[in-house]
Amino acid sequence: MTKPRSRRGGGRPTIGDVARKAGVGAITVSRALREPERVSQDLRRQIQAAVDELGYVPDPNARALASARADVFGVLVPSLTNNVFAEVVRGIYDSLSDGPFRVQLGNTHYSGLEEERLLQVFAPQRPAALIVAGIDQTPTSRKLLESAGCPVVQVMETGPDPVDMLVGFSHFDGGRTATEHLIEAGYRRIGFIGARMDPRSQRRLAGYRAAMEKAGLFDPRLITTTPLLSSVTLGHELFRDALAKMPALDGVFCNNDDIALGVLFECHRAALDVPKTIGIVGFNDLEMMQAAFPPLTSIRTPRYEIGRRAVAMALAAITGQRPEQRIVDLGFELKPRESTAR
Amino acid sequence: MTKPRSRRGGGRPTIGDVARKAGVGAITVSRALREPERVSQDLRRQIQAAVDELGYVPDPNARALASARADVFGVLVPSLTNNVFAEVVRGIYDSLSDGPFRVQLGNTHYSGLEEERLLQVFAPQRPAALIVAGIDQTPTSRKLLESAGCPVVQVMETGPDPVDMLVGFSHFDGGRTATEHLIEAGYRRIGFIGARMDPRSQRRLAGYRAAMEKAGLFDPRLITTTPLLSSVTLGHELFRDALAKMPALDGVFCNNDDIALGVLFECHRAALDVPKTIGIVGFNDLEMMQAAFPPLTSIRTPRYEIGRRAVAMALAAITGQRPEQRIVDLGFELKPRESTAR
DNA sequence: CCCCTGTTTGGTAGCGCTACCATTCTCCTG
DNA sequence: CAGGAGAATGGTAGCGCTACCAAACAGGGG
C-alpha cells in the first residue's frame, strides 16, 4: 500500500507531470529540454505544449544532483565596489543571462587566503566553469583550480602559464605606455602614485620604472604608495606627500583613475596648472575621465569585454570546442587628453 | 545482484561515509551538522572528527532537493556597476559570508519586466529569502514575491505597504532636505538635474518640488532631466542645457553624485564660481564628494548598512524571530560642504 | 514494578532529475 | 528477405540528502 504522495516540494509541476500530460516518458521530456535535436519534431511540440500549459520550470538542484554537474559559473573577484571589477562582472552576467547558467559570485577582498577559502567552497559544487581574477593564486588555490574538473578562466592579466585559459592585458605594458606618453609630452620628473598595491598595481609600477630607467629619469623618491584601499581622498593626500618629497615634480602616473581624480582636485586647490605645471595620467579610463576639467589622460582597459570573452571561452570549452588560443590579450588603449597636452 | 556503486559524483565523501567512519547513522550526522544541540556531546565530537578527517563538505544540491529549501538569498538590483547598488550588495555579501547561505544575484537593468523574468526564475528555486530593490514592482512581480513562501525584504526606500519587510530611507525627504539646504544658504533659482529618472529619482524630484513650492520658488523650467543612464558627462551636458534655458540659475540639486561632479567640472570650464555663483548639491555622498574641489555638499545615504540590515532582518525571520518592526527607516544625512557655503 | 513521558538515535522512503542500458522501430545492405 | 546499423524512446536505478516516523533508552510517578 503506497502512501499518497505528499509533495514536499509544494506542488509545483515536475518532469513526471509534463511527461504524463504529453503522453511520453519522463526521460524523453528531459532530453527534449536539454538536447532537442535528439527528439523527434512531433514529440518536441507536444512536450513544449505541456511545459507551457503546466508552467513547468526544471529544478536546478535535482538536475545538479542527478548529473553531478551544476549549471553554475563560479566567479571570484577582489572587490564588488571597485568599478573595474563591477564592469567585468557585468560582462559576465550579460553574457550568461539568457542561457541556463547561473552565476555564483565570491568577493576575495584582495586576499589570497580568502580566495582559497572560497575555492574550497566553490570547487566541490562541481561548477560548469570558474572565472577568477588575476594570476597570482596561492599554490593551494592553483591546485584547487587545476583539479576542479571544469574550464577555468583567469582574467584581467596576461601571462605565460595560465591554469587553463586567460583573458586580459598587460599591466606592465600599460604602465610603461602611460609613462612613455608623459615623457614624450615633455615631462621629466614624473611621479608614480598608487594605493593598495595588488599584483596588478605592482606590474604597472614595474612598467613605469622600466620606462623611466630607459629614459634615464628614474629616481626611487618619485614613487609614493600606500597599502590602503584606493580612494579619491587618498589621491590628493598621496600627491601632497609626493610634492613634499619632490617639489619639482612635473607629472604623475596614477595607478588608477580615482587617484588621478584626487590629484586633479589637489592641483585645483593648490592652483597648479594642469597640464602646464603638472601632467596627469590615470589608469582604466572610467567614464568621468573625459568629463573632467581638464579632461584626464588615461589608459582605457577592456573590462566589460574581458568578462564577455571569458564567458565565451568557457562556454566553448564546455561544449567541447576548446578554443585553440588559450591566452587572449585584449590590449589597452592610451587616451591622450588635455591633462598631458603641454 | 546489486551493481557496484559507480560514484557518479566523482568520489568525494558523502554523509554516509562520515556516518560509517563515526559509527553512527547517516541521519545523525545530518543532525549533528544542522542542529548540534539535538545530538549528544560524545557523538558530536566523533562526527566532527570524521568530518575533518574525510574533508567532508555537504552537497548543497542534495540538501536543497531533500529539504525543498535552498540555502540561497535571491538578490535583485537594477545595476551592478552603479556604486550605490554595489554598496548594498557588498553589505549583503559581507553579512552572509560566514554563514551557510549563498547569494544569487540578478541584474534587472532598471526594467520591471526583467525583474519579473528574474523572479520567475528565482522563486521556484525556493530561496531562503529574497531581497529586491525598490517598492515599485509590477503587479505580477508583487504576486510572485507574496507567494514565494520566504521572507522578502525590499530595500532602498520607505513606504507604507511592503510585501513583507522594508529597509531604506525616504527619497522624497532627501530631495526636500537638499533643496531646503540650498534655499537656506540663500540660493533662489535652483535647478533640478537628473538622469535615468527611476522611481527613486522621481521621488527625490517630488521632494525638490515640494520644497521649492513651499518657498514660492518653483518654476517647471528649472527642471532638466533625461531618460539616459546617469554619467558625469551627462551631468555637464544637462547643466549646459539648464543654463541655456535659465541663464540666471544660481544653484542645482543633482539627482546623484555623478551628475553633481559633471556640473562641477562644467563650472570650472565655464569659470563659474562655486559656491558664489552656483551652489551644488549631490545625492548619495560617494567618497569623491568630500575630496572634490571645492568639496561638494551631498546627502549621505546608508547603502552598505541597508544591505546588512536587510540580511539581518531576513535571517531573523528565517529563524522564527520575525522582527516586530517590519519597516526600518535608516534615514540619511545632509553633509553641507563648501559647494553650498555662500 | 509498570506505565508514561521525554530524549536520543536510527530506518525507510522519497525529493526531481539524469546516466545507463534495453527496447523498439525504421531503413539499408547483400 | 535475413541481418545489421542507427535513430528514437522508455525503464530502472540511483545522485546525496532530509522528513517522517519508529525504536530504544532513561527517569519519575503511581
Coordinates of all heavy atoms in Angstrom, one line a residue, chain A residues 35-103:
Chain A
E35 N 18.5 18.4 -25.1 CA 19.1 18.1 -26.4 C 18.0 17.9 -27.4 O 17.8 16.8 -27.8 CB 20.0 16.8 -26.4 CG 20.8 16.7 -25.1 CD 21.4 15.3 -25.0 OE1 22.5 15.1 -25.6 OE2 20.8 14.4 -24.3
P36 N 17.3 19.0 -27.7 CA 16.1 18.9 -28.6 C 16.4 18.1 -29.9 O 15.5 17.5 -30.4 CB 15.8 20.4 -28.9 CG 16.5 21.2 -27.9 CD 17.7 20.3 -27.4
E37 N 17.6 18.2 -30.4 CA 17.8 17.6 -31.7 C 17.7 16.1 -31.6 O 17.6 15.4 -32.6 CB 19.2 18.0 -32.3 CG 20.4 17.5 -31.6 CD 20.6 18.2 -30.2 OE1 19.9 19.1 -29.9 OE2 21.6 17.8 -29.5
R38 N 17.7 15.5 -30.4 CA 17.7 14.1 -30.3 C 16.2 13.6 -30.1 O 16.0 12.4 -29.9 CB 18.6 13.6 -29.2 CG 20.0 13.9 -29.4 CD 20.9 13.1 -28.6 NE 20.3 11.8 -28.3 CZ 20.8 10.9 -27.4 NH1 21.7 11.3 -26.6 NH2 20.2 9.7 -27.3
V39 N 15.3 14.5 -30.2 CA 13.9 14.1 -30.1 C 13.1 14.5 -31.3 O 13.4 15.6 -31.9 CB 13.3 14.8 -28.8 CG1 11.8 14.5 -28.7 CG2 14.0 14.3 -27.6
S40 N 12.2 13.7 -31.7 CA 11.5 14.0 -33.0 C 10.7 15.2 -32.9 O 10.2 15.6 -31.8 CB 10.6 12.8 -33.4 OG 9.5 12.7 -32.5
Q41 N 10.5 15.9 -34.0 CA 9.8 17.1 -34.1 C 8.4 17.0 -33.4 O 8.1 17.9 -32.6 CB 9.5 17.3 -35.6 CG 8.9 18.7 -36.0 CD 10.0 19.7 -36.2 OE1 11.1 19.4 -36.6 NE2 9.6 21.0 -35.8
D42 N 7.7 16.0 -33.7 CA 6.3 15.8 -33.1 C 6.3 15.8 -31.6 O 5.6 16.6 -31.0 CB 5.7 14.4 -33.5 CG 5.2 14.6 -34.9 OD1 5.3 15.6 -35.5 OD2 4.5 13.6 -35.4
L43 N 7.1 15.0 -31.0 CA 7.2 14.9 -29.5 C 7.6 16.2 -29.0 O 7.1 16.7 -27.9 CB 8.1 13.8 -29.1 CG 7.6 12.4 -29.2 CD1 8.5 11.4 -28.5 CD2 6.2 12.3 -28.7
R44 N 8.6 16.8 -29.6 CA 9.1 18.1 -29.2 C 8.0 19.1 -29.0 O 7.9 19.8 -28.0 CB 10.1 18.6 -30.2 CG 11.4 19.1 -29.5 CD 12.6 18.9 -30.3 NE 12.5 19.7 -31.6 CZ 13.3 19.4 -32.6 NH1 14.1 18.4 -32.6 NH2 13.2 20.2 -33.7
R45 N 7.1 19.2 -30.0 CA 6.0 20.1 -29.9 C 5.0 19.8 -28.8 O 4.6 20.6 -28.0 CB 5.3 20.1 -31.3 CG 5.6 21.3 -32.2 CD 4.6 21.5 -33.2 NE 4.6 20.5 -34.2 CZ 5.4 20.5 -35.3 NH1 6.1 21.6 -35.6 NH2 5.3 19.5 -36.2
Q46 N 4.7 18.5 -28.7 CA 3.8 18.0 -27.7 C 4.3 18.4 -26.3 O 3.6 18.9 -25.4 CB 3.6 16.5 -27.7 CG 2.5 16.0 -28.5 CD 2.6 14.5 -28.6 OE1 3.1 14.0 -29.7 NE2 2.3 13.7 -27.6
I47 N 5.6 18.1 -26.1 CA 6.2 18.4 -24.8 C 6.2 19.8 -24.5 O 5.9 20.3 -23.4 CB 7.6 17.8 -24.8 CG1 7.6 16.2 -24.8 CG2 8.4 18.3 -23.6 CD1 8.9 15.5 -25.1
Q48 N 6.6 20.6 -25.5 CA 6.6 22.1 -25.3 C 5.3 22.6 -24.9 O 5.1 23.4 -24.0 CB 7.1 22.8 -26.6 CG 7.4 24.3 -26.4 CD 8.4 24.5 -25.2 OE1 9.4 23.9 -25.2 NE2 8.0 25.3 -24.3
A49 N 4.2 22.0 -25.5 CA 2.9 22.5 -25.2 C 2.6 22.1 -23.7 O 2.0 23.0 -22.9 CB 1.8 21.8 -26.1
A50 N 2.9 20.9 -23.3 CA 2.7 20.5 -21.9 C 3.5 21.4 -20.9 O 2.9 21.8 -19.9 CB 3.1 19.1 -21.7
V51 N 4.7 21.7 -21.3 CA 5.5 22.6 -20.4 C 4.9 23.9 -20.2 O 4.7 24.4 -19.1 CB 6.9 22.7 -21.0 CG1 7.7 23.9 -20.4 CG2 7.8 21.5 -20.9
D52 N 4.4 24.5 -21.4 CA 3.8 25.8 -21.3 C 2.5 25.8 -20.5 O 2.3 26.6 -19.6 CB 3.5 26.3 -22.7 CG 4.8 26.6 -23.5 OD1 5.8 26.7 -22.8 OD2 4.7 26.7 -24.7
E53 N 1.7 24.7 -20.7 CA 0.5 24.7 -20.0 C 0.6 24.5 -18.5 O -0.1 25.2 -17.7 CB -0.3 23.5 -20.6 CG -1.8 23.5 -20.2 CD -2.6 22.4 -20.9 OE1 -2.1 22.0 -21.9 OE2 -3.7 22.1 -20.4
L54 N 1.6 23.7 -18.1 CA 1.8 23.5 -16.7 C 2.7 24.6 -16.0 O 2.7 24.7 -14.8 CB 2.4 22.1 -16.4 CG 1.6 20.9 -16.8 CD1 2.4 19.6 -16.7 CD2 0.4 20.8 -15.9
G55 N 3.3 25.3 -16.9 CA 4.3 26.3 -16.3 C 5.5 25.6 -15.6 O 6.0 26.0 -14.6
Y56 N 5.9 24.5 -16.3 CA 7.0 23.8 -15.7 C 8.3 24.5 -15.8 O 8.7 25.0 -16.8 CB 7.1 22.4 -16.4 CG 8.3 21.6 -16.1 CD1 8.4 21.0 -14.9 CD2 9.4 21.5 -17.0 CE1 9.6 20.3 -14.5 CE2 10.5 20.8 -16.7 CZ 10.6 20.2 -15.4 OH 11.7 19.5 -15.1
V57 N 9.0 24.5 -14.7 CA 10.4 25.0 -14.6 C 11.3 23.9 -14.0 O 11.0 23.5 -12.9 CB 10.5 26.3 -13.7 CG1 11.9 26.8 -13.7 CG2 9.5 27.3 -14.2
P58 N 12.3 23.5 -14.7 CA 13.1 22.4 -14.1 C 13.8 22.8 -12.8 O 14.1 24.0 -12.6 CB 14.2 22.2 -15.2 CG 13.8 23.0 -16.4 CD 12.8 24.0 -16.0
D59 N 13.9 21.9 -11.9 CA 14.6 22.1 -10.6 C 16.1 22.0 -10.8 O 16.6 20.9 -11.0 CB 14.0 21.1 -9.6 CG 14.6 21.3 -8.3 OD1 15.8 21.9 -8.2 OD2 14.0 21.0 -7.3
P60 N 16.8 23.1 -10.7 CA 18.2 23.0 -10.9 C 19.0 22.2 -9.9 O 20.0 21.6 -10.2 CB 18.7 24.5 -10.8 CG 17.6 25.2 -10.1 CD 16.3 24.5 -10.3
N61 N 18.4 22.1 -8.7 CA 19.1 21.3 -7.7 C 19.0 19.8 -8.0 O 20.0 19.1 -7.9 CB 18.4 21.5 -6.3 CG 18.6 22.9 -5.9 OD1 17.6 23.7 -5.7 ND2 19.8 23.4 -5.7
A62 N 17.8 19.4 -8.4 CA 17.7 18.0 -8.8 C 18.5 17.7 -10.0 O 19.2 16.6 -10.1 CB 16.2 17.7 -9.1
R63 N 18.6 18.6 -10.9 CA 19.4 18.4 -12.1 C 20.9 18.2 -11.7 O 21.6 17.3 -12.1 CB 19.3 19.5 -13.1 CG 20.2 19.4 -14.2 CD 20.0 20.6 -15.2 NE 18.7 20.5 -15.8 CZ 18.4 21.1 -16.9 NH1 19.2 21.8 -17.6 NH2 17.1 21.0 -17.4
A64 N 21.3 19.1 -10.8 CA 22.7 19.1 -10.4 C 23.0 17.8 -9.7 O 24.1 17.2 -9.9 CB 23.0 20.3 -9.5
L65 N 22.1 17.4 -8.9 CA 22.3 16.1 -8.1 C 22.4 14.9 -9.0 O 23.3 14.1 -8.9 CB 21.2 15.9 -7.1 CG 21.3 14.7 -6.2 CD1 22.6 14.8 -5.4 CD2 20.1 14.6 -5.3
A66 N 21.5 14.9 -10.0 CA 21.5 13.7 -10.8 C 22.7 13.7 -11.8 O 23.2 12.6 -12.2 CB 20.2 13.7 -11.6
S67 N 23.1 14.8 -12.3 CA 24.1 14.9 -13.3 C 25.5 15.1 -12.8 O 26.4 15.2 -13.5 CB 23.7 15.9 -14.4 OG 23.8 17.2 -13.8
A68 N 25.6 15.3 -11.4 CA 26.9 15.6 -10.8 C 27.5 16.8 -11.5 O 28.8 16.8 -11.7 CB 27.8 14.4 -10.9
R69 N 26.8 17.8 -11.9 CA 27.3 18.9 -12.6 C 26.3 20.1 -12.4 O 25.2 19.9 -12.8 CB 27.5 18.6 -14.0 CG 27.6 19.7 -15.0 CD 29.0 20.4 -15.0 NE 30.1 19.6 -15.3 CZ 31.2 19.6 -14.5 NH1 31.3 20.4 -13.4 NH2 32.3 18.9 -14.8
A70 N 26.7 21.2 -11.8 CA 25.8 22.3 -11.6 C 25.9 23.3 -12.7 O 27.0 23.5 -13.2 CB 26.0 23.0 -10.3
D71 N 24.8 23.9 -13.2 CA 24.9 24.9 -14.2 C 25.3 26.2 -13.6 O 24.5 27.2 -13.7 CB 23.5 25.0 -14.9 CG 23.2 23.8 -15.8 OD1 24.2 23.0 -16.0 OD2 22.1 23.6 -16.2
V72 N 26.4 26.2 -13.0 CA 26.8 27.4 -12.3 C 28.2 27.9 -12.7 O 29.1 27.0 -12.9 CB 26.9 27.2 -10.7 CG1 27.6 28.3 -10.0 CG2 25.4 27.0 -10.2
F73 N 28.4 29.2 -13.0 CA 29.7 29.7 -13.2 C 30.2 30.3 -11.8 O 29.5 31.2 -11.3 CB 29.7 30.8 -14.2 CG 29.9 30.4 -15.6 CD1 29.1 29.4 -16.2 CD2 30.8 31.0 -16.4 CE1 29.3 28.9 -17.5 CE2 31.0 30.5 -17.7 CZ 30.3 29.5 -18.3
G74 N 31.3 29.8 -11.3 CA 31.8 30.4 -10.1 C 32.7 31.6 -10.5 O 33.5 31.5 -11.4
V75 N 32.5 32.7 -9.9 CA 33.3 33.9 -10.3 C 33.9 34.5 -9.0 O 33.2 34.8 -8.0 CB 32.4 35.0 -10.9 CG1 33.2 36.3 -11.2 CG2 31.8 34.4 -12.2
L76 N 35.2 34.7 -9.0 CA 35.9 35.3 -7.9 C 36.6 36.6 -8.2 O 37.4 36.6 -9.1 CB 37.0 34.3 -7.3 CG 36.4 33.0 -6.7 CD1 37.6 32.2 -6.2 CD2 35.5 33.3 -5.6
V77 N 36.2 37.7 -7.6 CA 36.8 39.0 -7.8 C 37.2 39.6 -6.5 O 36.7 39.2 -5.4 CB 35.8 39.9 -8.5 CG1 35.6 39.5 -9.9 CG2 34.5 40.1 -7.7
P78 N 38.2 40.5 -6.5 CA 38.7 41.0 -5.3 C 37.8 42.1 -4.6 O 38.0 42.4 -3.5 CB 40.1 41.7 -5.7 CG 40.3 41.4 -7.1 CD 39.0 40.9 -7.7
S79 N 36.9 42.6 -5.4 CA 36.1 43.7 -4.9 C 34.8 43.8 -5.6 O 34.8 43.6 -6.9 CB 36.8 45.0 -4.9 OG 35.9 46.1 -4.8
L80 N 33.7 44.1 -5.0 CA 32.4 44.2 -5.7 C 32.2 45.7 -6.0 O 31.4 46.0 -6.9 CB 31.3 43.7 -4.8 CG 31.3 42.2 -4.5 CD1 30.2 41.8 -3.5 CD2 31.2 41.4 -5.8
T81 N 32.8 46.6 -5.2 CA 32.5 48.0 -5.4 C 33.5 48.7 -6.4 O 33.2 49.7 -6.9 CB 32.5 48.7 -4.1 OG1 33.5 48.2 -3.3 CG2 31.2 48.5 -3.4
N82 N 34.7 48.2 -6.5 CA 35.6 48.7 -7.4 C 35.0 48.6 -8.8 O 34.7 47.5 -9.3 CB 36.9 48.0 -7.3 CG 38.0 48.5 -8.3 OD1 37.7 49.1 -9.3 ND2 39.3 48.3 -7.9
N83 N 34.8 49.8 -9.4 CA 34.2 49.8 -10.7 C 34.8 48.9 -11.8 O 34.1 48.3 -12.6 CB 34.2 51.3 -11.2 CG 33.4 51.4 -12.5 OD1 33.9 51.1 -13.6 ND2 32.2 51.9 -12.4
V84 N 36.1 48.7 -11.7 CA 36.8 47.9 -12.6 C 36.3 46.5 -12.6 O 35.9 45.9 -13.6 CB 38.3 47.9 -12.3 CG1 39.0 46.8 -13.1 CG2 38.9 49.2 -12.5
F85 N 36.1 45.9 -11.4 CA 35.6 44.5 -11.4 C 34.1 44.5 -11.6 O 33.6 43.5 -12.1 CB 36.1 43.9 -10.0 CG 37.5 43.7 -9.9 CD1 38.3 44.6 -9.1 CD2 38.2 42.8 -10.7 CE1 39.7 44.5 -9.1 CE2 39.6 42.7 -10.7 CZ 40.3 43.5 -9.8
A86 N 33.4 45.5 -11.1 CA 32.0 45.6 -11.4 C 31.7 45.5 -12.9 O 30.8 44.8 -13.3 CB 31.4 46.9 -10.8
E87 N 32.6 46.1 -13.7 CA 32.4 46.0 -15.1 C 32.6 44.6 -15.7 O 31.9 44.1 -16.5 CB 33.4 47.0 -15.8 CG 33.0 48.4 -15.7 CD 31.9 48.8 -16.7 OE1 31.6 48.0 -17.6 OE2 31.3 49.9 -16.5
V88 N 33.7 44.0 -15.1 CA 33.9 42.6 -15.6 C 32.7 41.7 -15.2 O 32.2 40.9 -16.0 CB 35.2 42.0 -14.9 CG1 35.4 40.6 -15.2 CG2 36.4 42.9 -15.3
V89 N 32.3 41.9 -14.0 CA 31.1 41.1 -13.5 C 29.9 41.3 -14.4 O 29.2 40.4 -14.7 CB 30.8 41.3 -12.0 CG1 29.5 40.8 -11.6 CG2 32.0 40.8 -11.2
R90 N 29.7 42.6 -14.7 CA 28.6 42.9 -15.6 C 28.7 42.2 -16.9 O 27.7 41.7 -17.4 CB 28.5 44.4 -15.8 CG 27.3 44.9 -16.5 CD 27.1 46.4 -16.5 NE 28.2 47.1 -17.2 CZ 28.1 47.5 -18.5 NH1 27.0 47.1 -19.2 NH2 29.1 48.1 -19.1
G91 N 29.9 42.2 -17.5 CA 30.1 41.5 -18.7 C 29.7 40.0 -18.6 O 29.1 39.4 -19.5
I92 N 30.1 39.4 -17.5 CA 29.8 38.0 -17.3 C 28.3 37.8 -17.2 O 27.8 36.9 -17.8 CB 30.6 37.5 -16.0 CG1 32.1 37.6 -16.2 CG2 30.1 36.2 -15.6 CD1 32.9 37.3 -14.9
Y93 N 27.7 38.6 -16.4 CA 26.2 38.5 -16.2 C 25.5 38.6 -17.6 O 24.6 37.9 -17.9 CB 25.7 39.5 -15.2 CG 25.6 38.9 -13.8 CD1 26.7 39.0 -13.0 CD2 24.5 38.3 -13.3 CE1 26.7 38.5 -11.7 CE2 24.5 37.8 -12.0 CZ 25.6 37.9 -11.2 OH 25.6 37.4 -9.9
D94 N 25.9 39.7 -18.3 CA 25.2 39.9 -19.5 C 25.3 38.8 -20.5 O 24.4 38.4 -21.2 CB 25.7 41.2 -20.2 CG 25.2 42.5 -19.5 OD1 24.4 42.3 -18.6 OD2 25.5 43.6 -19.9
S95 N 26.5 38.1 -20.5 CA 26.7 37.0 -21.4 C 26.0 35.8 -21.0 O 25.8 34.9 -21.8 CB 28.2 36.7 -21.5 OG 28.9 37.8 -22.0
L96 N 25.6 35.7 -19.7 CA 25.1 34.5 -19.2 C 23.6 34.5 -19.0 O 22.9 33.5 -18.7 CB 25.8 34.1 -17.9 CG 26.7 32.9 -17.8 CD1 27.3 32.5 -19.1 CD2 27.8 33.2 -16.7
S97 N 23.0 35.8 -19.2 CA 21.7 36.0 -18.7 C 20.6 35.2 -19.5 O 19.6 34.8 -18.9 CB 21.3 37.5 -18.8 OG 21.3 37.9 -20.1
D98 N 20.9 34.8 -20.7 CA 19.8 34.1 -21.4 C 20.1 32.6 -21.6 O 19.3 31.9 -22.2 CB 19.6 34.8 -22.8 CG 20.9 35.2 -23.4 OD1 21.6 34.3 -24.0 OD2 21.2 36.4 -23.4
G99 N 21.1 32.2 -21.0 CA 21.4 30.7 -21.0 C 20.9 30.1 -19.8 O 20.2 30.7 -18.9
P100 N 21.3 28.8 -19.6 CA 20.8 28.0 -18.4 C 21.7 28.3 -17.2 O 21.4 27.7 -16.2 CB 20.9 26.6 -18.9 CG 22.0 26.6 -19.9 CD 22.0 28.0 -20.5
F101 N 22.8 29.0 -17.4 CA 23.8 29.1 -16.3 C 23.5 30.2 -15.3 O 23.0 31.3 -15.7 CB 25.1 29.3 -16.9 CG 25.6 28.2 -17.7 CD1 25.5 28.1 -19.1 CD2 26.1 27.0 -17.1 CE1 26.0 27.0 -19.8 CE2 26.5 25.9 -17.8 CZ 26.5 25.9 -19.2
R102 N 23.8 29.9 -14.1 CA 23.7 30.9 -13.0 C 25.1 31.3 -12.7 O 26.1 30.7 -13.1 CB 23.0 30.3 -11.8 CG 21.6 30.0 -12.0 CD 21.0 29.2 -10.8 NE 21.6 27.9 -10.7 CZ 21.6 27.1 -9.6 NH1 21.0 27.5 -8.5 NH2 22.1 25.9 -9.6
V103 N 25.2 32.4 -12.0 CA 26.5 32.9 -11.5 C 26.6 32.8 -10.0 O 25.6 33.2 -9.3 CB 26.7 34.4 -11.9 CG1 28.0 34.9 -11.4 CG2 26.6 34.6 -13.5

